[in-house]
DNA sequence: AGTCTTGCATTGTGATCGCAATTGCAGGCC
DNA sequence: GGCCTGCAATTGCGATCACAATGCAAGACT
């Protein structure tokens, strides 16, 4: 009845140190989405993703489910294969409108809480943004720009709104990549980060709101033009 | 070669017909959250939930992960036990503000698309709302109220915004239950459903926006009062 | 030669098992 | 009697297996 049952070679890493595997997978895919490294429409499979990342399909399933819940990935109900949602004008319009409400609001809430440490951090991130921009390094620009915005938003201490904003960036990432593909990096040099910094330094909530709104608005306009041009 | 098909005791339902088990579990928990049947703060375990629903822990894990991604459930990082997020004033304030932007917007978008079938459906749902209200049936009221709002929102054909609104209701459900616990069902009789119906019938986008905004605003005020009273 | 069918590989889903870690509860010590 | 300690039970995570269903490609038939 009881069999010796060879203990298997199931190699397991010590769970003691924090980051769970499915969280690492989540972060990996998340970063890929934010920087737009994953092309929309291509259907990948769970097992192939797992093999690519060197883990078992299980944590990938968990991570993918999170991303699907955040609408950063989509599942074809027929195939059940997963892909990045396609870039439609309707989607972009909704994402634009949502971002244009949430993110300026977060900036406004952050302004009164902005301290010297935040300003310093933002300045260094903005330098990174500019450096990536002059180098034409798309991934670096995307990552740095994301960090700039969310360094501000995190200061707002509004976790519900913050997570909504995070979900929106996950969905907008693929669109941003199209912009680079079409207009090139030069088309993006004009951001409103300096204005935002000034407003935050002065604790000017409405100024921060306007600066971020303008920054987003211009970026979304470019995306819209790129999407319309690309059909 | 006859196949009696006794291959295993693992009873598996034919996957052909659609609803996957983890989706059913998701819907079950979702409904429980929307109607506020799950009290905040209590920590349940995956296995206990699975046993309660009569399924294996696996689909429960999937469903819970979705709900955690939508911030409808929270995981205590120490215990790793999951619970409904506690009702803080800060959370309610953020949820209120987000709802007050998204849901009136969806109503405004739905107005030009409202046809006779929708009006008829809404009228019947609103009767259900009133019936539940006079009976004091909390679950029925919550469910019907939810259906009334989302029957409108779905007409907007804005899936991104719609899913955001859905996520917000999931988070607000527990708060709504507090209102009933404190002020009783009588405190909620005054909704703006009639006004919304009139505006939709006339295709009046701004009227629908105002009606839904007023409806939400009054409800959220009651919740705020209840939460502040309840500490 | 073109179209349909058949067969195999691959996929997502769910169940079960194993492991590390935490929790709960005794029982013992001061 | 109260506090601490040690052991058993429980929990989440990940791996592996099983199975139904789909995708794809080669073969068969007209």
């Amino acid at each position: 009845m009881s069999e010796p049952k060879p203990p298997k070679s199931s190699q397991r890493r010590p769970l003691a140190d924090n980051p769970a595997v499915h969280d690492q997978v989540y972060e990996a895919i998340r970063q890929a989405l934010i920087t737009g490294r994953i092309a929309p429409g291509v259907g990948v499979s769970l097992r192939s993703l797992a093999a690519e990342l060197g883990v078992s399909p299980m944590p990938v399933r968990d991570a993918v489910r999170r991303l699907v819940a955040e609408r950063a990935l989509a599942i074809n109900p027929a195939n059940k294969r997963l892909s990045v949602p396609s870039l439609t004008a309707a989607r972009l319009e909704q994402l634009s409108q949502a971002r244009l409400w949430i993110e300026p609001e977060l900036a406004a809430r952050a302004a009164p809480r902005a301290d010297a440490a935040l300003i310093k951090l933002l300045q260094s991130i903005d330098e990174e943004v500019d450096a990536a921009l002059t180098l034409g390094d798309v991934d670096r620009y995307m990552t740095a720009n994301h960090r700039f915005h969310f360094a501000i938003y995190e200061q707002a201490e509004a976790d519900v709104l913050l997570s909504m904003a995070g979900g929106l960036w996950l969905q907008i990432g693929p669109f941003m990549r199209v912009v680079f593909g079409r207009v090139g990096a030069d088309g993006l040099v004009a951001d409103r980060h300096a204005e935002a910094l000034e407003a935050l330094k002065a604790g000017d909530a409405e100024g921060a709101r306007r600066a971020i709104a303008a920054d987003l608005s211009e970026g979304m306009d470019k995306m819209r033009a790129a999407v319309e041009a690309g059909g």
Side-chain angles (χ1 to χ4, degrees), chain A:
Chain A
M1 141 149 220
S2 67
E3 294 203 340
K5 183 172 305 202
K8 278 285 181 59
S9 70
S10 99
Q11 188 154 324
R12 175 179 297 275
R13 86 187 46 205
L15 298 191
D17 44 17
N18 261 344
V21 178
H22 69 90
D23 278 318
Q24 297 175 350
V25 174
Y26 174 81
E27 275 306 320
I29 304 178
R30 173 192 166 85
Q31 279 303 320
L33 283 171
I34 288 176
T35 59
R37 283 197 302 270
I38 303 182
V42 298
V44 294
S45 76
L46 247 56
R47 281 176 162 96
S48 65
L49 247 180
E52 195 173 325
L53 293 165
V55 298
S56 94
M58 187 64 62
V60 178
R61 239 171 80 179
D62 290 344
V64 162
R65 238 179 252 293
R66 272 177 74 180
L67 291 161
V68 169
E70 291 166 336
R71 300 182 71 83
L73 291 179
I75 294 187
N76 185 327
N79 302 21
K80 305 207 169 182
R81 291 183 73 111
L82 53 92
S83 60
V84 176
S86 56
L87 277 43
T88 68
R91 250 180 81 81
L92 179 60
E93 187 265 338
Q94 292 174 58
L95 291 172
S96 299
Q97 198 163 355
R99 286 187 68 199
L100 269 173
W101 178 76
I102 293 185
E103 299 192 27
E105 172 69 23
L106 278 166
R109 288 177 183 230
R113 292 185 170 86
D115 53 7
L118 177 67
I119 302 294
K120 191 153 167 262
L121 173 65
L122 288 175
Q123 281 169 340
S124 79
I125 297 178
D126 198 30
E127 285 171 17
E128 170 82 4
V129 172
D130 291 339
L133 223 36
T134 57
L135 286 167
D137 189 333
V138 178
D139 279 15
R140 258 181 80 187
Y141 168 74
M142 299 265 202
T143 306
N145 189 41
H146 176 267
R147 284 208 302 142
F148 183 87
H149 279 87
F150 279 81
I152 299 173
Y153 304 157
E154 280 166 13
Q155 203 74 8
E157 291 177 11
D159 57 325
V160 173
L161 300 180
L162 180 65
S163 79
M164 293 179 72
L168 291 171
W169 272 75
L170 240 47
Q171 298 182 59
I172 213 81
F175 285 95
M176 299 189 72
R177 173 64 64 149
V178 215
V179 174
F180 276 99
R182 303 222 174 260
V183 310
D186 343 296
L188 283 184
V189 288
D191 63 36
R192 304 299 191 96
H193 291 184
E195 289 180 39
L197 258 169
E198 284 306 311
L200 288 172
K201 207 184 295 181
D204 173 12
E206 292 313 312
R209 187 195 301 273
R210 275 196 308 274
I212 294 296
D215 186 63
L216 291 192
S217 193
E218 292 168 9
M220 306 298 269
D221 281 349
K222 292 203 181 68
M223 287 187 224
R224 177 146 27 90
V227 167
E228 283 170 359

